[in-house]
Amino acid sequence: MTQQVQVKQSTIKAPLLEVKELSKHFVVSTNLFGKPKESVKAVNEVNLLLEKGETLGIVGESGCGKSTMGNTILRLIEPTEGSIFFEGQDVLNMTRAQLQEMRKEVQMIFQDPFSSLNPRMRVFDIIAEPLRTHKVANGKELHRRVYELLDLVGLDQSQADRFPHQFSGGQRQRIGIARAIALNPKLIVCDEPVSALDVSIQAQILNLLLELKEKLQLTLIFIGHGIPAVKYISDRIAVMYLGEIVEMADKESLFSKTRHPYTQGLISAVPIPDPSLREVSEDVILEKDLPDQRNLPKGCSFYSRCPFATEKCKGEKPKLKANEEGHLVACHYPLHA
Amino acid sequence: MTDNLLEVENLHTHFFTENGVIPSVNGVTFSIKKGEIIGIVGESGCGKSVTSLSILQLINKPGKIVEGEIRFHDKDLTTLSEKEIRKIRGNKISMIFQEPLTSLNPVFTIGHQISEAIRLHQKVDKKEAKQRSITLLSKVGMANPERQYHAFPHLLSGGMRQRVMIAMALSCNPELLIADEPTTALDVTIQKQILKLMKNLSSELNTSIILITHDLGVIAEMVDRVVVMYGGEIVEENDVYSLFENPKHPYTKGLLNSTPKIHQLKEKLQSIEGNVPTPDQLPSGCNFQNRCPFAMEKCREISPDLVASSDGSSVRCWLHQEKEVVNV
């Protein structure tokens, strides 16, 4: 693992975020003495490097740990092991004051715009809240900033006095975005920001995120299960399976030279909105569901569903390794080798 | 009459609420042949689910079918009594819902629930019903059906629960299956399995399917004919190949352009401006005029009719009503 991190590190100038061997285990049951008996490894020894200004997409099926990872990076969930460095600072060993300071720089956009906005607060106050909490602005300056943010996300200033329920899903997501960019953050973790929206609105929000990214020089982590949307917005994509990154590469490379059988299955499962390709598209159907996460197979976690699995895969866990092009894969027998 | 299995004609379903009448479905007309799979696409609030619930007479107060006919085997379902419709519902026409967890009863085993459906409509004893349920479970691809027969819904994953729903829906060999967003709550890999299963079963048993979804990808892979709905009305209808190749209604075009495509490299997504209207805030004239990039003066005043053309398509748009106007 450390080897590949070094490979990547030499190509990246200044990482904005570095995640090392990050794990989060949830204890499911304890024994008589309160010691953990069974635990689910939601995130398991994940390594990530995020360059300034890039968008990293994270895809995977539900339960693969992508949201847990997003939450852990913001320390909304305390990780079990590993370390996180934001601009070189160790996030996990920060004092409260330091953490507070860091949270200005790292923001989050949530999936459900219906439950992530306080129904009793007016839009103005929702967007103003981070500015007030961090004592960035008050009085006239606060008003100016909130109206500026409303403009940026494409909402009308006259809507500032309304409550969230008076808005549609797409508009609510815009409010959530305005709140997230209020403090001029460097990194935004977007946890499935378009999954709950209608198709015609999804495109609006994706384009808004792209536009804001350019304008405000943001770095994004875009978590999603809708692969086309993640592909549209990301520069680099990490594929997660059962808490681990099984493949990570530039977007073009990931789709044209897919190396992990799981990624291949995932991509081929995406319905293509073009009926003329119905017969042409080859199917790699992933049989079965995700295995029980309490007792994962000892070897490769994908062993039970992989069409190419051998004895080696059953016994030995493949490590995430890069090829010459920096395309990372955790598989003993990668495709396109 | 014709070889149509089901004909919906000029269906109007309205909801009578305290805040006034909400016209959820406004004059929907379509038909489905035996063995055909049709897709109804549209965004939230366009009336696609209300249409399907209307077919099964599952509209409860304050909703009401105020006008229209739904002919199934030339019998108008809207005139049947509750007792008569029960013989058809779940038997000849069955339905699969989006949320498999909320549509299964948590306190009964899945086997019990499938057997119940069989025993309700067919004169078989318990043992026979159990046998049939187990056969159905293996048909929908459940591993170890004898054991799973005794499982409670919460023990199963989302994909498995949806298989149970399909098994239950197929238990009486329905002629028509209505699937309302059957895979929206599932992961893509599981979605693929479920869609393949539905397609195989349809060709094997010659079951007609009405597939309701917002996902154009699912439509492209599954259906023969597409009905596009917007604001409680059908705005376009065509066979699936022509619709994707040559969409006519600006809304259909917008929908296609705003869908990110996995097999294309970055091209800026075009979005449809504005918001998806709820049925109580539709504009005057054409329902789509306030979001339409081609809206004219006329569109703001008079609502266009759904006009069928000689190539088998129909479209509700002023741009297509006067002899092949400009090809926008």
Side-chain angles (χ1 to χ4, degrees):
Chain A
M1 289 286 186
T2 43
Q3 190 191 352
Q4 61 83 12
V5 171
Q6 278 158 6
V7 173
K8 260 286 162 193
Q9 214 152 25
S10 58
T11 58
I12 289 178
K13 293 140 260 163
L16 182 72
L17 180 82
E18 188 174 1
V19 172
K20 276 188 185 163
E21 306 279 322
L22 187 74
S23 298
K24 175 65 199 179
H25 300 175
F26 290 102
V27 176
V28 203
S29 60
T30 50
N31 67 9
L32 192 60
F33 306 105
K35 293 263 162 61
K37 197 165 74 182
E38 274 184 316
S39 59
V40 165
K41 294 175 177 172
V43 176
N44 204 7
E45 296 181 8
V46 164
N47 289 289
L48 274 182
L49 271 178
L50 202 62
E51 204 175 336
K52 213 169 160 34
E54 79 170 335
T55 301
L56 175 71
I58 298 176
V59 289
E61 290 170 278
S62 45
C64 75
K66 50 192 195 304
S67 292
T68 307
M69 188 166 85
N71 287 329
T72 321
I73 289 172
L74 270 85
R75 261 184 92 179
L76 296 177
I77 299 177
E78 290 295 326
T80 314
E81 271 171 76
S83 45
I84 303 167
F85 295 92
F86 181 75
E87 295 192 306
Q89 281 178 291
D90 187 349
V91 176
L92 298 180
N93 290 319
M94 279 181 176
T95 59
R96 265 186 96 88
Q98 282 174 317
L99 192 64
Q100 181 84 344
E101 218 30 51
M102 185 208 79
R103 289 223 167 111
K104 270 197 229 169
E105 316 273 348
V106 188
Q107 288 288 324
M108 189 148 187
I109 299 169
F110 299 92
Q111 168 173 9
D112 188 352
F114 294 83
S115 59
S116 58
L117 302 176
N118 187 337
R120 295 180 178 210
M121 280 168 85
R122 292 178 195 274
V123 170
F124 182 90
D125 295 313
I126 291 174
I127 299 174
E129 194 179 22
L131 298 164
R132 287 175 175 146
T133 309
H134 290 277
K135 301 193 175 65
V136 176
N138 55 34
K140 264 202 180 127
E141 171 62 18
L142 182 74
H143 272 82
R144 193 196 57 76
R145 178 71 182 142
V146 172
Y147 288 135
E148 181 186 54
L149 287 164
L150 282 170
D151 267 349
L152 268 175
V153 297
L155 288 172
D156 200 72
Q157 298 195 356
S158 63
Q159 294 169 321
D161 286 332
R162 296 203 191 157
F163 289 99
H165 75 264
Q166 292 170 296
F167 292 88
S168 68
Q171 289 171 313
R172 279 183 234 201
Q173 202 55 294
R174 287 173 194 269
I175 299 170
I177 292 172
R179 178 177 61 182
I181 60 172
L183 293 165
N184 278 324
K186 290 180 177 142
L187 174 67
I188 300 183
V189 178
C190 315
D191 191 356
E192 309 243 15
V194 298
S195 307
L197 304 177
D198 274 311
V199 185
S200 68
I201 308 300
Q202 281 190 12
Q204 289 178 5
I205 299 295
L206 287 174
N207 284 337
L208 175 66
L209 283 172
L210 278 176
E211 188 192 310
L212 290 175
K213 190 197 142 189
E214 282 300 306
K215 215 183 265 176
L216 310 172
Q217 298 180 339
L218 296 169
T219 307
L220 301 180
I221 293 181
F222 189 92
I223 300 168
H225 65 250
I227 296 163
V230 175
K231 184 185 178 193
Y232 178 65
I233 202 165
S234 309
D235 303 312
R236 215 148 51 93
I237 297 176
V239 182
M240 281 187 82
Y241 186 73
L242 296 177
E244 290 162 9
I245 292 182
V246 294
E247 184 164 4
M248 179 155 62
D250 292 336
K251 163 166 78 177
E252 283 77 20
S253 180
L254 188 89
F255 284 88
S256 61
K257 294 184 204 149
T258 308
R259 295 181 71 203
H260 200 285
Y262 175 65
T263 315
Q264 194 187 36
L266 202 59
I267 293 174
S268 100
V270 177
I272 298 174
D274 186 350
S276 61
L277 298 172
R278 212 187 258 187
E279 317 300 332
V280 196
S281 61
E282 46 179 320
D283 279 358
V284 187
I285 291 194
L286 289 179
E287 298 295 337
K288 300 188 202 155
D289 286 3
L290 290 171
D292 186 355
Q293 284 181 301
R294 276 168 297 186
N295 30 48
L296 286 181
K298 188 168 126 244
C300 175
S301 52
F302 187 53
Y303 170 75
S304 58
R305 295 171 84 189
C306 184
F308 311 110
T310 65
E311 275 307 304
K312 187 178 177 189
C313 306
K314 193 178 178 183
E316 192 186 325
K317 201 171 195 65
K319 291 213 155 62
L320 196 65
K321 280 185 295 243
N323 69 1
E324 315 81 69
E325 293 155 24
H327 189 140
L328 294 158
V329 67
C331 180
H332 290 306
Y333 310 102
L335 313 157
H336 282 105
Chain B
M1 231 165 69
T2 46
D3 54 348
N4 287 335
L5 179 69
L6 179 88
E7 287 176 341
V8 176
E9 202 178 307
N10 197 24
L11 177 72
H12 291 259
T13 306
H14 294 181
F15 287 82
F16 298 89
T17 66
E18 282 172 13
N19 303 324
V21 181
I22 295 178
S24 289
V25 174
N26 242 333
V28 163
T29 302
F30 68 94
S31 59
I32 177 165
K33 295 188 181 65
K34 187 122 196 69
E36 194 181 30
I37 306 181
I38 72 164
I40 302 183
V41 239
E43 298 178 293
S44 44
C46 74
K48 54 194 195 301
S49 292
V50 175
T51 303
S52 65
L53 293 172
S54 301
I55 294 173
L56 281 170
Q57 305 296 307
L58 285 172
I59 297 291
N60 291 328
K61 268 190 177 173
K64 195 168 182 276
I65 298 177
V66 289
E67 206 185 324
E69 275 184 33
I70 298 165
R71 284 187 298 274
F72 179 69
H73 285 301
D74 296 336
K75 200 188 284 178
D76 187 356
L77 299 183
T78 56
T79 59
L80 296 186
S81 68
E82 181 61 23
K83 208 173 159 191
E84 288 169 304
I85 189 76
R86 279 192 174 198
K87 285 188 190 149
I88 292 175
R89 193 193 293 149
N91 189 18
K92 293 197 172 116
I93 307 179
S94 51
M95 186 152 179
I96 306 171
F97 298 91
Q98 173 175 354
E99 281 286 341
L101 186 58
T102 49
S103 6
L104 288 168
N105 190 332
V107 298
F108 291 108
T109 63
I110 58 160
H112 178 96
Q113 297 184 54
I114 301 174
S115 300
E116 184 190 15
I118 296 175
R119 303 232 313 144
L120 200 61
H121 293 293
Q122 292 169 14
K123 288 203 172 77
V124 293
D125 60 13
K126 270 190 176 164
K127 230 172 134 189
E128 169 70 17
K130 181 178 178 182
Q131 238 352 288
R132 285 199 201 176
S133 312
I134 291 172
T135 320
L136 279 164
L137 284 176
S138 71
K139 197 182 227 161
V140 295
M142 294 272 277
N144 222 334
E146 284 89 3
R147 211 185 67 200
Q148 300 287 22
Y149 181 89
H150 300 287
F152 284 92
H154 72 270
L155 294 171
L156 304 173
S157 66
M160 284 299 153
R161 282 182 208 135
Q162 201 57 290
R163 281 167 206 263
V164 173
M165 287 305 293
I166 295 177
M168 203 184 292
L170 294 173
S171 60
C172 298
N173 292 325
E175 294 172 66
L176 177 64
L177 181 66
I178 302 174
D180 189 355
E181 306 261 9
T183 56
T184 307
L186 305 176
D187 278 313
V188 276
T189 54
I190 312 300
Q191 163 170 288
K192 185 105 185 173
Q193 296 170 11
I194 298 287
L195 292 178
K196 199 176 168 213
L197 174 72
M198 281 175 49
K199 197 154 193 180
N200 288 347
L201 291 171
S202 155
S203 57
E204 203 177 296
L205 307 169
N206 205 22
T207 310
S208 311
I209 299 178
I210 298 178
L211 180 68
I212 296 162
T213 178
H214 65 272
D215 188 336
L216 286 165
V218 172
I219 291 285
E221 295 210 346
M222 286 286 289
V223 310
D224 305 316
R225 218 149 41 81
V226 190
V227 170
V228 184
M229 284 188 73
Y230 187 84
E233 293 175 332
I234 293 177
V235 294
E236 185 164 0
E237 184 182 343
N238 209 342
D239 79 88
V240 67
Y241 295 98
S242 316
L243 186 101
F244 279 83
E245 204 169 292
N246 182 20
K248 288 181 177 159
H249 198 282
Y251 176 64
T252 316
K253 277 183 202 178
L255 218 48
L256 282 168
N257 287 337
S258 54
T259 305
K261 292 159 197 81
I262 199 165
H263 57 296
Q264 276 169 16
L265 270 182
K266 196 161 186 164
E267 216 179 275
K268 192 160 159 67
L269 274 185
Q270 284 168 17
S271 53
I272 306 178
E273 291 302 311
N275 297 299
V276 182
T278 53
D280 57 335
Q281 36 171 250
L282 291 168
S284 64
C286 171
N287 282 341
F288 189 57
Q289 53 99 342
N290 54 353
R291 299 177 76 192
C292 181
F294 309 109
M296 309 170 285
E297 207 46 51
K298 193 176 187 181
C299 306
R300 308 200 194 285
E301 283 151 19
I302 317 159
S303 174
D305 289 328
L306 187 68
V307 175
S309 86
S310 51
D311 58 359
S313 66
S314 350
V315 60
R316 185 190 293 276
C317 180
W318 286 121
L319 291 171
H320 295 273
Q321 308 233 322
E322 288 142 27
K323 286 181 251 157
E324 295 299 326
V325 207
V326 254
N327 196 10
V328 271

